[in-house]
Amino acid sequence: MTLSPRLVQSEFHIPKDIFDPIEFRYTLTEAKNSAGLCRTVISKVNDFFAEQFEASTDPIHLVYGRADFMDGLLQALWSKIVGETTNGLALIAVGGYGRQELHPYSDIDLLILAKDEEILANFSEALTEFITCLWDLKLEIGHSVRTISDCVDVAKNDLTIITTLVETHHISGDPRLFKTLQNQISPNKMWNSHDFFAAKRDEQRDRHRKYANTEYNLEPNIKTSPGGLRDIHLITWVARRHYGVEHLSELVELGFISNNEYQLIQENMRYLWRIRYSLHCLAGRHEDRLLFDHQRSLAKEYGYKDTKKSLAVEKFMKVYYRCAASISAINELLTQHFEEAILRACENEEILDINERFRIRNGYIEAANDRVFKQTPSALMEIFVLLAQTPNIHGVRATTIRAIREHADLIDDNFRKDPRNNAFFVQLLNSRFKITTQLRRMMRYGILGKYIPEFGKIMGQMQHDLFHVYTVDAHTLQVINNMRRFTYDNQAEKFPIAHAILKRMAKPDLLYIAGLYHDIAKGRGGDHSTLGAVDAIEFCLQHGYTKRDANLVAWLVEKHLLMSSVSQRKDISDPEVIHDFAVEMGDQLHLDYLYALTAADMRATNTTIWNTWRASLMRQLYNETRRALRRGLENVIDKADWIADTRELAMRKLEERGISRKDSDILLGDPGEDYFLRETVDDIVWQIDALHKHKDKSKPLILLKEYDKRAFEGATQLFVLAPDRKGLFSDITNALEQLNLSVQDAKIYNSTNKNAIDTFILLDAEGLPIGENANRLAHIKDFVYEVLTSPEAAQEVQKRTPRQQKHFISPTQVTVTTDIVRNQTVIEVHTPDRPGLLANVARVFTEFDIALQNAKITTLGEKVEDVFFVTDDNLNPISDPDVCLAIQERICQQLDNRPSH
């Protein structure tokens, strides 16, 4: 048997009392019930490996040991079924099994290699019996039957096939065929190392793009995600193809990698193999995805415990993410090394000296000698400034990346307090080119976490929910990246306010520092905004910023959640809300900075969070606050004047359409002051004009239109005017759920003529615009009308809770307070999102005869934070404490005790 190179060495052997391949082959030859004997030994070996895994045996031993066992099993079966001596026919292991890596449910990929078609014809029945036997044993077999010429023909033009054939080992049969195949596919005959590496590098880039080029996905694939096992495989494939090595340790001898890097690869691979082995055991099948339910199970299995500061699963995933980041860093280093040694080996060298410490070699920066960082530690900061200030530098040479990583420990307290290093970091933040790229490089090379220790603590820190799709460190750098993107002219249409702000911002570096520190205190316990503000002030003063600038940054960090909260949870059509927010801002400068930080933060938290609806809320809050600041905080618009102006403008436009003021009042009734406060003039005209044309005033009026593009582009406005009755709101929301529509906002009014006037702002269930499909809009109108006229048409929503959301089910929290100014009761519901949620809350309101006056609907990832403004039937707040408690308990019961299907 000829073995392929294993990634690392292992001397582990299965005890002979568990499985002796020589004895087993003899026993199998004599056995009458071959299948029964094989099943018995497979079960015995599986039990042995399960015990070894429970005993924390090195997963490297288990993975290679399984492959050794499979070799022995297949050799014995091949010998009995196909023949002891099979000239011109061989059994070859390929793929992962070719590398001798088998986890409990790994695919066992086989190549039956024949000298020619005549051999295949002669052994056809035996080969069929052999494969059928493997299937009967329920082995995870994948096989192909090819001649040598077949293999050569397909491998010439297929990267996947040549990669599979690069990692093979001979199991049984004619060993000469295996050697012939290896000769025929050698680099001097096909896929030379230049072409092979270029293709594998491009393949890796495509694979990484599928995972958004980040190791920090919520449910990573430990094999194919960035920082996964495939990133290690790339190194071994290319090393074997180019250098002909049999073990990774030989790369150390060649000086291609350092011994520390080899040990790190081995350590990280061992950790990922342990997780992969556990995943197979947990799932009872081949599984490489770290799904949420597996993450929690593994965290428990590996001994992590929940604490007040962090969950066990977050601790487990933090170790995983750091492992993945480490693999990515090594992969980047060695891939760069391959590029230099393989792709650019024959290039004419062009060297440009930058200074006595650095030079550019063929477009890549390198240290002038191997003593640069030792002699001048500040060069560890300087190199990133040079990268950010010199657009024609494509990257860092591999030897310099290695030197940076090896000298990162030079960064200590004295280094951090050195004015030269502080000045370099400030220069970096004020550079013109690729600031985020350099910050990410600093993080990968081990510099950023050393220079800013508080940042080092959040590296790999997971936030276990569906709202935050990145780890804290990845999210932080994405926030800064978004800020940089706001300055680009091609982003002006998508982010008009942020673009305008950044273009006129005198000190964008202050914004970047606020982005760097806004979440830096997460995981410490306490209010991360307050704790982060303290760190931010210290950082700014250490780096030579004025007290005024430091205070601005600290204020931004402390208030970084304020603007998104106000825009989504408060009634921003209310002048008092705008005034209070303007007081918090104080001036245009603080408003500009906070808007830019909030927009960048929301966009970096979750790509679905910054949709057209939330963008419009932010824009409305910004514009109204800017107007309030221009008027002066002492010149607050009187609410009565606002209402009177809106009413007067609407009545004038209606008169132009031939509708008198008297008719308008009769048609609408008196919907209350909030109607003229919250509705726009155009919407009031649209609604009353439609009501004027509505023939049967006793029937509901249903209107649909795209919401005002300037304020809330993309959303659809549903207007409902219908005779008020018990359960009306519940029926409407239930109908919208059945239509797969998501309510973004709701405005509820009750007129004196006993009509309910409701306005809903809608997106589809995925948070996207409904669009202008006439058939769909007509169906929405017709179905809502049917529900209003025939309530029995509204069936209770029975939808499955999405798989990911099921892992974030937590108890519903309900608070009931009184808004003295509005003279209303405020019910806040915080709960995991699920189908039919709003309709279920509405049923409770119906049950308690609660009159809904207003609602703010907010969904953040898997979390819902809805606010309802309600009264009793007499439009008074709900004052009885026992009733308030009963409402709280009933909402919790209605939401938490319902099946998730």
Side-chain angles (χ1 to χ4, degrees):
M1 179 174 65
T2 303
L3 298 180
S4 78
R6 294 175 169 179
L7 294 182
V8 295
Q9 301 280 8
S10 171
E11 300 300 327
F12 178 81
H13 298 287
I14 302 174
K16 289 193 175 183
D17 62 321
I18 301 296
F19 179 72
D20 184 336
I22 297 176
E23 181 181 332
F24 177 73
R25 183 185 297 195
Y26 175 78
T27 305
L28 186 66
T29 302
E30 302 297 322
K32 295 181 179 179
N33 183 5
S34 299
L37 177 62
C38 289
R39 291 191 186 97
T40 298
V41 74
I42 289 172
S43 177
K44 186 177 182 181
V45 170
N46 283 338
D47 289 343
F48 167 75
F49 279 116
E51 291 172 2
Q52 292 296 305
F53 184 66
E54 287 294 324
S56 300
T57 299
D58 189 333
I60 289 177
H61 298 329
L62 303 182
V63 170
Y64 288 150
R66 278 187 171 276
D68 288 343
F69 162 67
M70 191 54 59
D71 283 350
L73 178 71
L74 294 178
Q75 287 166 6
L77 286 169
W78 179 272
S79 176
K80 178 168 185 173
I81 299 172
V82 182
E84 184 74 36
T85 58
T86 50
N87 292 335
L89 196 65
L91 182 64
I92 311 297
V94 297
Y97 180 30
R99 294 189 302 272
Q100 291 201 305
E101 299 172 12
L102 284 184
H103 291 265
Y105 293 93
S106 291
D107 295 335
I108 302 167
D109 293 325
L110 301 173
L111 167 64
I112 296 175
L113 185 64
K115 180 180 179 182
D116 51 41
E117 295 291 344
E118 184 180 352
I119 293 290
L120 286 177
N122 292 339
F123 284 90
S124 176
E125 290 186 8
L127 293 176
T128 300
E129 182 183 349
F130 176 72
I131 295 299
T132 301
C133 176
L134 301 184
W135 285 339
D136 289 344
L137 293 175
K138 301 191 183 309
L139 299 176
E140 303 290 332
I141 295 297
H143 77 284
S144 60
V145 182
R146 290 192 174 107
T147 64
I148 289 180
S149 61
D150 289 337
C151 290
V152 171
D153 289 341
V154 295
K156 282 180 179 178
N157 301 306
D158 193 312
L159 180 64
T160 301
I161 296 296
I162 187 62
T163 304
T164 299
L165 295 178
V166 163
E167 45 185 16
T168 57
H169 75 264
H170 174 264
I171 301 173
S172 194
D174 191 342
R176 294 170 298 178
L177 287 183
F178 178 73
K179 292 179 180 178
T180 300
L181 176 63
Q182 293 299 302
N183 178 264
Q184 290 295 311
I185 65 170
S186 62
N188 62 330
K189 294 187 177 179
M190 66 171 69
W191 289 101
N192 61 51
S193 56
H194 180 287
D195 294 342
F196 184 74
F197 169 66
K200 296 306 291 186
R201 179 200 58 188
D202 293 344
E203 181 184 65
Q204 175 173 277
R205 288 173 177 171
D206 290 340
R207 173 168 54 84
H208 285 183
R209 272 193 288 271
K210 293 177 182 178
Y211 297 95
N213 291 307
T214 180
E215 303 87 358
Y216 303 123
N217 292 285
L218 283 175
E219 295 181 310
N221 185 306
I222 65 170
K223 180 179 178 181
T224 56
S225 289
L229 290 167
R230 270 289 180 260
D231 285 5
I232 297 177
H233 295 157
L234 174 71
I235 298 167
T236 61
W237 292 330
V238 178
R240 187 177 185 199
R241 197 76 179 159
H242 184 66
Y243 294 104
V245 299
E246 291 191 356
H247 296 283
L248 275 178
S249 57
E250 294 178 58
L251 292 178
V252 180
E253 299 169 14
L254 292 171
F256 183 76
I257 63 175
S258 69
N259 187 62
N260 286 340
E261 289 161 353
Y262 170 69
Q263 295 298 330
L264 195 56
I265 292 173
Q266 195 172 21
E267 177 185 330
N268 288 327
M269 188 182 71
R270 178 180 283 109
Y271 181 72
L272 290 187
W273 276 9
R274 183 187 179 198
I275 293 177
R276 195 180 191 197
Y277 206 99
S278 295
L279 282 175
H280 282 217
C281 295
L282 278 172
R285 56 181 172 80
H286 185 116
E287 180 61 271
D288 294 327
R289 299 167 301 164
L290 259 176
L291 304 177
F292 287 126
D293 49 347
H294 298 329
Q295 291 173 18
R296 292 185 175 186
S297 298
L298 292 180
K300 183 178 180 181
E301 178 182 324
Y302 293 2
Y304 294 99
K305 304 290 185 183
D306 290 344
T307 63
K308 292 181 179 180
K309 292 184 178 181
S310 59
L311 300 174
V313 67
E314 292 174 344
K315 297 173 184 176
F316 164 69
M317 290 304 295
K318 185 173 186 177
V319 176
Y320 165 78
Y321 287 131
R322 290 193 170 194
C323 170
S326 175
I327 292 173
S328 288
I330 294 175
N331 175 271
E332 178 189 5
L333 167 65
L334 299 185
T335 300
Q336 176 64 29
H337 210 320
F338 282 135
E339 286 199 13
E340 295 166 9
I342 300 174
L343 299 188
R344 301 200 301 272
C346 298
E347 289 182 355
N348 293 324
E349 287 200 342
E350 182 180 333
I351 300 175
L352 174 65
D353 289 332
I354 300 176
N355 55 37
E356 60 184 10
R357 290 170 298 282
F358 296 103
R359 61 192 175 207
I360 303 172
R361 183 189 296 269
N362 292 356
Y364 288 78
I365 193 170
E366 68 176 5
N369 57 69
D370 57 9
R371 303 180 304 280
V372 164
F373 299 116
K374 182 73 172 177
Q375 294 174 346
T376 313
S378 290
L380 289 168
M381 303 295 290
E382 180 187 13
I383 187 171
F384 298 103
V385 176
L386 293 173
L387 282 160
Q389 294 180 346
T390 315
N392 61 334
I393 299 179
H394 306 311
V396 187
R397 284 183 63 85
T399 52
T400 301
I401 295 174
R402 177 176 289 126
I404 292 171
R405 289 167 55 89
E406 290 174 348
H407 289 88
D409 286 339
L410 293 174
I411 301 176
D412 55 16
D413 284 340
N414 291 330
F415 184 99
R416 297 180 197 104
K417 295 175 181 177
D418 190 323
R420 291 172 298 176
N421 300 325
N422 299 158
F424 277 135
F425 195 81
V426 173
Q427 285 181 52
L428 174 62
L429 296 180
N430 283 284
S431 299
R432 292 182 58 194
F433 306 108
K434 299 182 178 179
I435 293 175
T436 314
T437 300
Q438 309 321 322
L439 290 173
R440 285 177 174 152
R441 275 199 176 106
M442 291 178 73
M443 184 171 74
R444 288 197 306 274
Y445 300 169
I447 301 301
L448 190 60
K450 289 276 190 179
Y451 185 68
I452 305 178
E454 53 267 38
F455 186 87
K457 294 177 182 177
I458 61 170
M459 289 175 62
Q461 183 170 310
M462 178 194 190
Q463 301 174 87
H464 193 62
D465 55 40
L466 293 178
F467 179 52
H468 299 90
V469 299
Y470 302 114
T471 55
V472 182
D473 54 327
H475 162 74
T476 296
L477 296 188
Q478 187 58 44
V479 168
I480 299 174
N481 187 55
N482 288 342
M483 294 168 177
R484 295 287 295 169
R485 289 180 62 204
F486 291 158
T487 65
Y488 304 159
D489 290 338
N490 61 4
Q491 298 295 307
E493 183 176 350
K494 192 171 185 180
F495 304 101
I497 294 177
H499 177 73
I501 289 172
L502 265 294
K503 280 293 188 181
R504 66 173 180 262
M505 187 174 284
K507 296 181 179 180
D509 50 323
L510 300 181
L511 182 66
Y512 304 153
I513 297 172
L516 193 59
Y517 273 84
H518 79 288
D519 277 350
I520 210 159
K522 281 194 169 180
R524 297 188 202 170
D527 185 343
H528 76 278
S529 301
T530 303
L531 295 173
V534 174
D535 290 348
I537 282 187
E538 183 178 343
F539 176 88
C540 289
L541 296 179
Q542 173 64 45
H543 285 73
Y545 287 97
T546 65
K547 188 69 179 294
R548 178 182 177 184
D549 287 344
N551 286 337
L552 172 59
V553 172
W555 180 87
L556 288 168
V557 172
E558 187 173 3
K559 303 292 183 181
H560 75 271
L561 297 173
L562 177 63
M563 195 167 194
S564 60
S565 176
V566 172
S567 66
Q568 295 176 68
R569 301 186 62 193
K570 293 195 176 182
D571 184 0
I572 55 178
S573 63
D574 188 333
E576 293 178 2
V577 171
I578 298 299
H579 176 262
D580 291 344
F581 183 72
V583 170
E584 284 273 11
M585 297 302 100
D587 57 36
Q588 185 68 43
L589 179 74
H590 284 73
L591 176 63
D592 283 350
Y593 271 96
L594 187 61
Y595 179 92
L597 173 59
T598 306
D601 187 19
M602 291 175 68
R603 181 76 177 171
T605 298
N606 186 319
T607 53
T608 63
I609 294 301
W610 186 266
N611 55 22
T612 54
W613 171 249
R614 291 193 176 96
S616 66
L617 294 176
M618 284 278 292
R619 182 159 58 251
Q620 183 183 1
L621 178 58
Y622 177 85
N623 287 332
E624 294 296 341
T625 305
R626 183 175 62 177
R627 279 192 281 271
L629 291 170
R630 285 178 176 175
R631 286 193 306 267
L633 297 178
E634 70 282 357
N635 298 317
V636 184
I637 287 185
D638 186 76
K639 184 181 291 190
D641 291 340
W642 185 311
I643 294 169
D645 290 346
T646 301
R647 184 184 184 93
E648 178 62 25
L649 288 171
M651 293 304 156
R652 288 180 187 175
K653 289 193 174 185
L654 287 165
E655 285 176 333
E656 292 173 2
R657 299 186 180 201
I659 305 173
S660 69
R661 294 180 181 234
K662 182 178 179 181
D663 287 343
S664 295
D665 289 339
I666 293 173
L667 288 169
L668 195 63
D670 183 4
E673 291 182 341
D674 276 358
Y675 178 77
F676 293 99
L677 184 67
R678 304 182 68 209
E679 299 292 325
T680 67
V681 171
D682 288 343
D683 282 342
I684 293 170
V685 172
W686 170 59
Q687 294 162 11
I688 295 178
D689 184 45
L691 187 56
H692 177 69
K693 297 173 183 176
H694 189 50
K695 294 181 180 179
D696 189 346
K697 301 296 190 291
S698 64
K699 299 291 185 182
L701 172 63
I702 314 294
L703 302 176
L704 275 175
K705 73 167 184 175
E706 186 174 353
Y707 216 30
D708 178 64
K709 290 185 178 180
R710 180 187 62 80
F712 304 106
E713 71 269 24
T716 296
Q717 180 179 9
L718 169 67
F719 174 78
V720 177
L721 187 145
D724 198 10
R725 61 172 172 81
K726 187 175 181 179
L728 180 67
F729 180 75
S730 176
D731 289 342
I732 296 173
T733 53
N734 200 33
L736 297 177
E737 287 277 1
Q738 288 182 251
L739 290 165
N740 285 318
L741 299 175
S742 174
V743 178
Q744 302 296 305
D745 198 6
K747 303 172 187 176
I748 314 298
Y749 314 103
N750 295 290
S751 68
T752 53
N753 57 11
K754 297 184 179 180
N755 279 330
I757 303 172
D758 298 345
T759 298
F760 298 88
I761 308 302
L762 307 173
L763 295 172
D764 70 11
E766 302 299 322
L768 300 173
I770 296 170
E772 299 180 0
N773 184 297
N775 291 333
R776 187 180 187 191
L777 295 177
H779 175 62
I780 294 172
K781 288 180 65 174
D782 292 344
F783 187 72
V784 173
Y785 182 87
E786 181 183 0
V787 168
L788 293 182
T789 53
S790 304
E792 62 276 8
Q795 302 174 0
E796 185 174 347
V797 176
Q798 297 289 336
K799 296 181 183 176
R800 289 184 177 274
T801 300
R803 175 189 62 80
Q804 288 186 333
Q805 289 184 1
K806 288 182 179 180
H807 300 291
F808 296 97
I809 298 301
S810 56
T812 297
Q813 295 180 339
V814 179
T815 59
V816 180
T817 58
T818 300
D819 186 331
I820 299 175
V821 176
R822 289 175 174 268
N823 200 36
Q824 295 172 349
T825 295
V826 182
I827 299 177
E828 296 188 55
V829 178
H830 293 227
T831 189
D833 194 15
R834 70 205 75 183
L837 187 150
L838 192 57
N840 288 327
V841 174
R843 289 192 191 95
V844 176
F845 293 168
T846 301
E847 181 181 332
F848 281 85
D849 293 323
I850 293 172
L852 182 63
Q853 305 300 328
N854 190 7
K856 293 290 290 184
I857 312 300
T858 304
T859 304
L860 302 171
E862 83 286 359
K863 298 177 182 178
V864 166
E865 299 179 359
D866 291 348
V867 183
F868 303 94
F869 299 86
V870 302
T871 63
D872 61 19
D873 280 341
N874 298 316
L875 301 182
N876 293 318
I878 302 169
S879 55
D880 189 331
D882 292 335
V883 174
C884 291
L885 181 60
I887 293 169
Q888 285 179 278
E889 293 176 346
R890 186 71 182 103
I891 292 175
C892 292
Q893 182 185 46
Q894 181 76 1
L895 296 181
D896 292 345
N897 294 342
R898 297 182 66 80
S900 61
H901 307 291

